[in-house]
Amino acid sequence: MGRRTQTKLFILVLLLGILTQSGWSEPLPNFGLKEKEAKTFFKRGLAYYNKGEFAAARENFIRALSIKPDFVHPKFFLSEAYYLSGDWQESLSELEQLESSNKLDLISKNRLDALRYRLGGGNRKDNLEYYKSIFGDDLRRFRFRNPADLAVDEEGYLYVVSFDTANVVKFDANGFPIENFKGSFGRNLEGPVGISIRGKSIFVADYAGDKIYEFDTRGTYVNRFGSTGKDPGNFHGPAGLYFTKEGFLYVSDMGNNRVQKLSRTGEPLQEIGVGILKQPAGIKVNNRGEIFVADRGNKRLVVFDHEGNFLKEINNPSFKRPRNLSIKDNKVVVADETAGLFIYDSISKTWSGFDNFKDSKNTVRNFDQAFSVAFDYTGSMFVADFNRHRIESFSPKGQLSSNLDLIVERTISSDYPDISLVLHAKDRHGVPVKAIPRDSFRIYEMDNLSPLIGLTDMKKYNNRVSVSIIAENSQIVSDSYATIEKAIRPFLSEIRTEDKIQLLRSGRDTQTAYPFGKSMYDILKALRSFSPEEESQIGKSLQKGITDLLDSLGPRAIIAIVSGKDSKAAFTQFSPTKIIRFAVSHDIPIYFLCLGENGESVSVYKEIAEKTGGKFLTIPSGGTEKNLRSWIDSKKDRRYLLSFKSRINPDGMDVYVPVVVEAIFRNSNGKAETGFFTP
């Protein structure tokens, strides 16, 4: 499908969206003499909402509704305020009241459906369905032929390595090409067939040139190494490669029937599989460090341990020419040039096939020459069909049939007419949707399309962190200061100039022991000066720690230092469920450094850590806590910062302007409602 066709579909979806807009995305209603104060409370509640003070926002929305019960604007924002503060059941109740009174517009209905789905537990085991094809010959200056390998970076961008056109094409989240690169003057790719990405580094195996190239994610040439030969560090048809988190490169040296382990700059470290492999092609490493190789000449998969020792072979009688593979959870998906796709379940030790599919016209199709397969963070699968010069895309069925869940967390109108929006975009499972391009957003003011939209690049914010450290103010924690300092010091020693770290003391009340700053010395000094109390309301402290992070951009996290000996009464004011939902609503992981495995609250801490995307560590932990900084860094801020210039020319001041935001992600679209008062 070409860009022109996709644009037409996008416009059609938008027109359908406009036609179905209804409900409260309109100016405020008329107020009777005794109802005007409802507007005042709504305006005040909206101001609190946009500052992340959701309790105060809820109070004012409720007061507005007590004066004018049919005032749907505060009703909707009340639901959103409940959701963003972790009270999901109350949020659901408010929307259901709108539904029962027939005042639920399409956007509110989508929010209601998303809430019901998430509170019901959801189902993440959707079958894959055909989504679309990307035809290399249709892309003009982004043209590719004979796509040989695929990779997806941490932002969700797809990269296609093309053998015949000797280039790499980068696609955005909606499948539009945005970059095309092949090297620099005099150092161009000749015939690449393999790619591996980690962080901002891209490594490409140039089969025809017997070299390995390094690029950054913008396609800028960084380095190359290798030459034709049989010696260590030389290649004879490098056919696949994998770049590990430790910084090593594993290269399938097809013509030399071996795998080479190299440093990232090409220094040879080890030869693997000599005498075992024949024409090794695709290669991947799982999270245990095991090395999986598509042993093309022997029609099998071969697995080595992290030291390069042979572990096992995995056979499939249907294999003809296994070319590449991808590892997804407990599944190994193999692309066979002749036989199609095969899926190996490493738990049940069984195979299943994926050799044909129905396209958008309900026509049964198969792969002509499946060369590579890759998955992105949504579970979508991409297959490179070498001979047909195209990429076949498949997405989970539920993703294609459901709407995006969009929420405007904050509307900033202080620089009116310049308006900024902080937007969450998630799938129906609550997973943030990455890298939606600017031209996939639309903003409407009073149903008028804004002609220009700005989208801030979050990369500059994702290089810093904001963290609330919460220390239980107990005698056990006080007596264990040396252990705690040893555990927290590695994280504090990595504080950067733009980081913000605060320390909260969790006792009967939560007190700020060190306000947001970046001094390791002052944080440790404040931690030493605690005066122990008998009671710690850790739930209340977690709630404050999260609240204090809401206006920060970039990765955010909670680090809670606890004894594990406190009782479950520590969560009397704020339950574990509410804390989990509050943190999840804002994608803030919670990490626990616990002084013991035994204690009434340990199981609660473990549940909170797991469900918020954090970790539970018993200290001393043998050095695991040294990874705190890298763990927090990896939790990128996936919100979208949109901006536009208001074109509404109100008659007078203090006019409410309703705003609708719309986004397209593949076959799904979503809308969110917000608004602001003119100054």
Side-chain angles (χ1 to χ4, degrees), residues 76-93:
F76 180 83
F77 274 105
L78 177 59
S79 171
E80 297 290 69
Y82 274 131
Y83 176 83
L84 290 171
S85 55
D87 295 305
W88 291 3
Q89 200 64 52
E90 289 81 355
S91 176
L92 179 69
S93 176

Side-chain angles (χ1 to χ4, degrees), residues 590 592 605-616:
I590 301 177
F592 286 93
Y605 295 152
K606 289 182 176 179
E607 180 187 15
I608 293 173
E610 178 187 358
K611 291 186 176 180
T612 62
K615 292 183 182 295
F616 176 91

Side-chain angles (χ1 to χ4, degrees), residues 176-225:
F176 294 143
I178 55 176
E179 299 283 355
N180 180 11
F181 54 95
K182 57 175 58 184
S184 62
F185 181 74
R187 292 171 293 190
N188 287 335
L189 296 167
E190 297 179 40
V193 297
I195 184 171
S196 184
I197 303 174
R198 187 168 298 278
K200 297 180 180 180
S201 298
I202 300 176
F203 287 89
V204 177
D206 190 7
Y207 181 88
D210 288 329
K211 288 181 173 56
I212 305 299
Y213 281 70
E214 181 182 357
F215 302 90
D216 65 20
T217 49
R218 293 184 176 181
T220 303
Y221 170 86
V222 176
N223 187 27
R224 71 174 181 177
F225 53 84

Side-chain angles (χ1 to χ4, degrees), residues 77 118-119 160 179 192 209 233 268 284 310 433 505 523 534 598 650:
F77 274 105
R118 294 187 67 185
L119 285 169
V160 177
E179 299 283 355
K284 295 293 185 292
F310 174 83
V433 176
R505 181 187 295 121
I523 293 171
E534 294 182 1
N598 300 317

